[in-house]
Amino acid sequence: MNALIKSATIVDSKSDFHNETVDILIEKGRIAKISKRISNPNNYREIKLDNLHVSQGWFDSSVSFGEPGFEERETIDNGLKTAAQSGFTAVALNANSNPVIDSYADITFVKSKAQNKATSLYPIGALTKASNSEDLAELFDMKNAGAIAFYDYQKPLDNPNLLKIALQYASNFDGLVCSFPQESRISGTGVVNEHINSTRLGLKGNPALAEELQIARDLFLLEYTEGKLHIPTISTAASVELIRAAKGKKLDVSCSVAIHNLVLTDDYLDGFDTRYKVLPPLRTQKDCEALIDGLKDGTIDMVTTDHNPIDIEDKKIEFDYAKFGTIGLESAFGALQTIFSTKKSISLLTQGKQRFSVNESTISEGAIADLSLFNPDADYQFSKSDITSRSKNSAFLGMTLKGKVYGIIANNKIVLK
């Protein structure tokens, strides 16, 4: 693949060309030249776009596509197309499928479905067999097949001894164990944050305590085992403090926060719209502010869309019975920019690669072209026409977002909207 990108502003603090507006020549999938002005004698495809900015490719540490088993929600093929058009050159795929991805063969299957795509797919294997929290899955075999981490998606591991064993076992091959932060006996059948709004609306509450107790337990186990732990999608102010203290002890822990938990609060629940039924639930403004501070000071390592397509039959029903989840790939950049500067938003979208063993590539001559293309200044109202996913369950529909994504150049391919 050969191309010439014209007049692009580079946003990459690790690049010598950071903040410069330049032309970028790509030959055979690599950056051949970066200069103020490059001619095109070979008649390569030219990419000229309004207010074009370019950064190293974005990474999402938590996406679900459904396949195998839930193709009506999303397929791997269309999911990767959606990711590419949303600016992501790499995504980590949860074992949120039927059957659950819990073996060498399952990892091989999903990787085969993602071959020759612009966006790279990195599978996360289930931590326990069938994600049933009873027996550990084939962790070492899945690691050898290409699994980058192990996680029972949004299913708490109630047995602390099982997590202890997982942390000890995975440390033998540098495996990354993920534990969903929810104490299920405390959360019970709660569907929203337990607070003033849950009481006012008559909806069952899931208290912040459920998350914080589980995180405290997991951090004690981590300290005991000296393992390697990732806590996905934290959502409360006290959770930030717990992880901040753990990092102060030099424990090998990382965590993420879903973008919707940064931008939205439980005040959005007034209309009983199930698009806002997510797990962990939307919390309070105080929690949002603490999470944002956690990202600013590095306590929280990365953001994620926690992209989770849900078909209309499981969303357009009574709030108590609707499934948890929102899609988030298409809205990620625009939503982040309602809170952070462009530079910080890009930093957050590229962090996490090292933790999940994903290839990093700065924008420099000779480097592999792994690029996200975008206009950071375009304000627009997010609508269904902006959604490429099969499922349309976005919590950001109707919101004014800032920044339009053009697409990506990665894996020797160009994908533009």
Side-chain angles (χ1 to χ4, degrees):
M1 178 273 295
N2 303 315
L4 178 59
I5 302 174
K6 300 294 290 184
S7 298
T9 301
I10 292 177
V11 184
D12 183 358
S13 59
K14 296 180 180 179
S15 171
D16 293 337
F17 299 92
H18 179 51
N19 282 339
E20 293 188 24
T21 301
V22 295
D23 293 352
I24 305 172
L25 179 65
I26 299 172
E27 294 183 321
K28 297 180 180 179
R30 285 188 175 270
I31 298 174
K33 186 178 181 181
I34 302 175
S35 183
K36 286 291 184 183
R37 192 166 297 171
I38 301 175
S39 60
N40 191 8
N42 296 315
N43 199 29
Y44 291 158
R45 176 179 176 179
E46 288 197 8
I47 298 174
K48 296 180 181 179
L49 297 164
D50 183 47
N51 193 32
L52 177 60
H53 285 58
V54 175
S55 73
Q56 61 173 283
W58 305 342
F59 167 64
D60 192 343
S61 61
S62 178
V63 303
S64 299
F65 289 151
E67 188 176 5
F70 298 124
E71 287 84 357
E72 72 279 6
R73 299 178 184 175
E74 187 60 283
T75 62
I76 289 174
D77 181 69
N78 192 65
L80 291 175
K81 175 185 174 183
T82 300
Q85 291 185 352
S86 303
F88 292 88
T89 63
V91 296
L93 179 69
N94 291 308
N96 185 22
S97 57
N98 184 25
V100 168
I101 301 166
D102 65 359
S103 69
Y104 186 104
D106 294 333
I107 296 293
T108 302
F109 168 77
V110 295
K111 286 184 68 177
S112 70
K113 297 287 286 186
Q115 284 184 345
N116 301 315
K117 304 296 184 184
T119 296
S120 299
L121 183 149
Y122 292 84
I124 296 175
L127 183 61
T128 64
K129 291 180 181 178
S131 290
N132 62 12
S133 300
E134 293 179 7
D135 301 294
L136 287 184
E138 302 168 6
L139 306 188
F140 185 63
D141 282 353
M142 287 192 288
K143 172 83 170 180
N144 288 337
I148 59 169
F150 310 102
Y151 177 33
D152 292 342
Y153 180 68
Q154 291 190 345
K155 294 181 179 178
L157 198 58
D158 291 333
N159 183 347
N161 191 54
L162 197 56
L163 180 61
K164 176 180 76 73
I165 293 169
L167 288 165
Q168 291 172 324
Y169 176 56
S171 65
N172 292 309
F173 51 87
D174 195 34
L176 179 61
V177 172
C178 306
S179 177
F180 184 61
Q182 180 172 284
E183 215 298 332
S184 58
R185 285 156 295 194
I186 297 289
S187 62
T189 57
V191 292
V192 298
N193 181 46
E194 184 178 272
H195 200 247
I196 294 169
N197 285 327
S198 63
T199 303
R200 182 172 58 84
L201 298 171
L203 294 171
K204 296 174 184 175
N206 179 349
L209 177 67
E211 175 173 308
E212 295 146 12
L213 275 177
Q214 192 82 343
I215 289 177
R217 183 204 75 171
D218 290 355
L219 292 174
F220 272 115
L221 291 170
L222 178 64
E223 187 171 13
Y224 178 82
T225 60
E226 298 182 348
K228 184 177 179 181
L229 178 68
H230 178 71
I231 302 175
T233 59
I234 69 170
S235 67
T236 80
S239 296
V240 178
E241 290 301 325
L242 286 166
I243 291 166
R244 186 175 285 127
K247 288 190 171 185
K249 293 181 178 180
K250 307 299 182 184
L251 299 186
D252 193 354
V253 62
S254 58
C255 67
S256 66
V257 58
I259 294 171
H260 50 264
N261 281 110
L262 295 171
V263 179
L264 308 174
T265 70
D266 59 358
D267 289 337
Y268 279 80
L269 297 170
D270 273 8
F272 296 92
D273 191 329
T274 58
R275 291 183 297 116
Y276 303 115
K277 185 179 179 181
V278 292
L279 197 65
L282 301 179
R283 303 288 188 184
T284 67
Q285 186 61 38
K286 177 184 174 183
D287 293 307
C288 289
E289 290 169 1
L291 293 165
I292 291 168
D293 287 343
L295 285 168
K296 288 178 177 177
D297 69 16
T299 299
I300 302 175
D301 300 88
M302 64 199 80
V303 297
T304 175
T305 66
D306 204 27
H307 182 81
N308 189 7
I310 304 294
D311 53 276
I312 192 169
E313 288 83 359
D314 287 313
K315 271 294 186 183
K316 290 287 187 178
I317 55 178
E318 289 181 51
F319 201 97
D320 278 347
Y321 301 111
K323 290 190 178 299
F324 293 99
T326 176
I327 58 173
L329 286 169
E330 296 97 325
S331 55
F333 179 60
L336 268 183
Q337 284 218 131
T338 64
I339 306 172
F340 299 106
S341 67
T342 298
K343 180 181 177 182
K344 183 63 175 178
S345 296
I346 298 305
S347 174
L348 294 174
L349 289 167
T350 53
Q351 288 173 197
K353 291 182 179 181
Q354 185 175 12
R355 185 63 168 176
F356 281 87
S357 304
V358 172
N359 295 328
E360 294 184 83
S361 181
T362 59
I363 301 176
S364 59
E365 293 180 353
I368 294 172
D370 187 79
L371 308 172
S372 300
L373 286 66
F374 54 94
N375 175 356
D377 299 325
D379 290 342
Y380 69 105
Q381 188 175 66
F382 189 70
S383 66
K384 283 189 177 181
S385 63
D386 297 302
I387 295 177
T388 309
S389 301
R390 281 192 171 190
S391 298
K392 311 302 178 185
N393 56 305
S394 171
F396 292 100
L397 281 172
M399 287 190 62
T400 298
L401 305 183
K402 183 181 180 182
K404 276 277 192 178
V405 178
Y406 290 125
I408 65 170
I409 298 175
N411 287 330
N412 209 19
K413 291 178 173 57
I414 300 172
V415 176
L416 299 175
K417 284 185 179 179

